[in-house]
Amino acid sequence: MEASTYLENDYYSEPHFTVFKVPEWRAKLYTFLSVNVWGNIPSPIQRKLSSKYASVYDKPFSKRFIKTYIRINYSDKNYLDKFKPPFGKSDFGSFQDFFIREFKELPKNDVPFVWPCEGLLCDKGKVSDIEKSRVKSDDRTITTIFGTLDSTIPKEYTFTNVFLHNKNYHRIHAPVNGTISRIQHIPGDLIVLRPWIYKQNPSLPAFRNERYNVDITDDKGRTWYLSIVGGPAVRTIELAKPIKVGGSIKKMEEIALFYLGSTCCMASPEAPKWHSKNTFVEVGATY
């Protein structure tokens, strides 16, 4: 899979990462291990194992790896200067603090619609064109991801799926001004998120993994559907405290954060202006 960036030098952060080209046989093996082996372990056990694994990153000793991780994964060695520790902390007390870092100053963009997160745009298309997925002998359409009926999301809406690598900024922000019209938690599995192992169906994990769905009704009365999807080692998805049904939300206001890896799907009445499948997007960039 080839991945490119749009105006890479203008990025406020550094969303790009190495996208591996996985041979067909290896992709099938990884898919089998993720879906048929790990995916058949009861979901509560998956979450328990993931939580235990994730807890390692909460330990104080893990903060020693932050500088090395930055040196290996970012071309900008002063990358961390754009961020601050989470929740008002004075320093990064663990590697998990680095994962859920906050911008010192959010990117500014005067356009009406922005990307809610950063990462690889691994899937994109009209809602009517995205193929079904078979999950545990059950064919599911794209609306399954968002927990809605097939007739709820207009077929002409655009579906996007952004995969957040471990190195990416792990907070989700509102793509538009509006009112929160629905919040839904869907328990599920925690199969591997990495899209390149699923080849023709990179959004497969979003059909079956645990997720929070948040709908935003914009000023024109149109609904923007967001699905915040967890994966292995994701201890939890945490909604921002001000987020509630009926509450107003401003563009770029925080919606949620991930503890470790994640994916963010969206079904929107607008189509991205500049980005195509397999390009990198950045939170706050023009949608």
Side-chain angles (χ1 to χ4, degrees):
M1 179 188 298
E2 294 292 340
S4 59
T5 60
Y6 170 71
L7 296 179
E8 180 178 356
N9 292 333
D10 291 338
Y11 278 125
Y12 186 77
S13 181
E14 193 174 317
H16 50 281
F17 52 84
T18 300
V19 179
F20 294 100
K21 294 181 179 180
V22 180
E24 189 72 29
W25 69 267
R26 188 174 295 173
K28 289 181 179 178
L29 174 61
Y30 291 163
T31 300
F32 175 79
L33 294 174
S34 174
V35 175
N36 299 98
V37 179
W38 171 259
N40 279 324
I41 297 174
S43 298
I45 297 178
Q46 290 182 2
R47 284 191 289 276
K48 187 174 182 179
L49 292 173
S50 292
S51 181
K52 285 187 175 297
Y53 170 78
S55 67
V56 173
Y57 295 95
D58 288 323
K59 307 298 184 185
F61 76 85
S62 65
K63 68 180 181 181
R64 300 174 185 172
F65 305 124
I66 295 175
K67 289 184 179 180
T68 301
Y69 188 85
I70 291 173
R71 186 170 63 251
I72 293 173
N73 290 281
Y74 304 90
S75 60
D76 180 5
K77 302 313 174 187
N78 297 316
Y79 171 82
L80 201 56
D81 290 347
K82 293 186 176 76
F83 300 91
K84 61 183 179 180
F87 309 129
K89 294 181 179 180
S90 59
D91 60 6
F92 294 94
S94 67
F95 200 76
Q96 188 66 269
D97 281 349
F98 169 72
F99 266 97
I100 58 173
R101 59 197 177 274
E102 299 180 38
F103 274 114
K104 290 179 179 177
E105 184 177 350
L106 285 169
K108 292 180 174 61
N109 196 335
D110 293 332
V111 300
F113 318 120
V114 298
W115 284 100
C117 59
E118 74 171 36
L120 176 70
L121 179 58
C122 64
D123 210 356
K124 172 178 175 277
K126 292 296 182 184
V127 167
S128 58
D129 296 334
I130 301 294
E131 59 183 296
K132 297 180 180 179
S133 280
R134 176 167 287 271
V135 179
K136 296 180 178 178
S137 302
D138 180 22
D139 281 331
R140 302 182 182 182
T141 66
I142 205 71
T143 56
T144 304
I145 294 174
F146 302 96
T148 64
L149 299 174
D150 285 350
S151 59
T152 303
I153 302 177
K155 301 300 183 184
E156 67 272 14
Y157 267 42
T158 298
F159 171 78
T160 55
N161 182 350
V162 177
F163 166 67
L164 284 69
H165 187 271
N166 289 342
K167 66 167 283 188
N168 290 134
Y169 169 74
H170 274 78
R171 292 174 184 261
I172 310 298
H173 295 259
V176 65
N177 294 331
T179 301
I180 298 172
S181 51
R182 184 181 66 121
I183 297 175
Q184 177 191 43
H185 175 236
I186 298 181
D189 295 331
L190 294 173
I191 63 171
V192 174
L193 293 169
R194 280 164 169 72
W196 46 85
I197 75 171
Y198 299 108
K199 292 293 185 180
Q200 301 305 315
N201 193 3
S203 292
L204 174 62
F207 283 90
R208 60 181 292 166
N209 277 15
E210 183 166 3
R211 55 201 179 274
Y212 270 97
N213 295 324
V214 178
D215 298 352
I216 300 174
T217 302
D218 67 16
D219 297 337
K220 297 180 179 179
R222 306 175 302 177
T223 301
W224 295 62
Y225 301 87
L226 279 79
S227 189
I228 304 163
V229 185
V234 177
R235 183 180 61 194
T236 186
I237 302 167
E238 185 175 304
L239 295 181
K241 290 183 179 179
I243 301 301
K244 61 181 180 180
V245 175
S248 61
I249 191 166
K250 296 294 185 182
K251 181 189 70 178
M252 285 299 292
E253 188 175 341
E254 186 177 316
I255 294 177
L257 65 84
F258 286 100
Y259 288 88
L260 302 182
S262 52
T263 282
C264 182
C265 297
M266 186 162 68
S268 64
E270 300 284 339
K273 292 184 179 299
W274 306 112
H275 298 85
S276 57
K277 185 175 178 179
N278 296 333
T279 60
F280 291 99
V281 303
E282 182 180 24
V283 61
T286 300
Y287 177 73

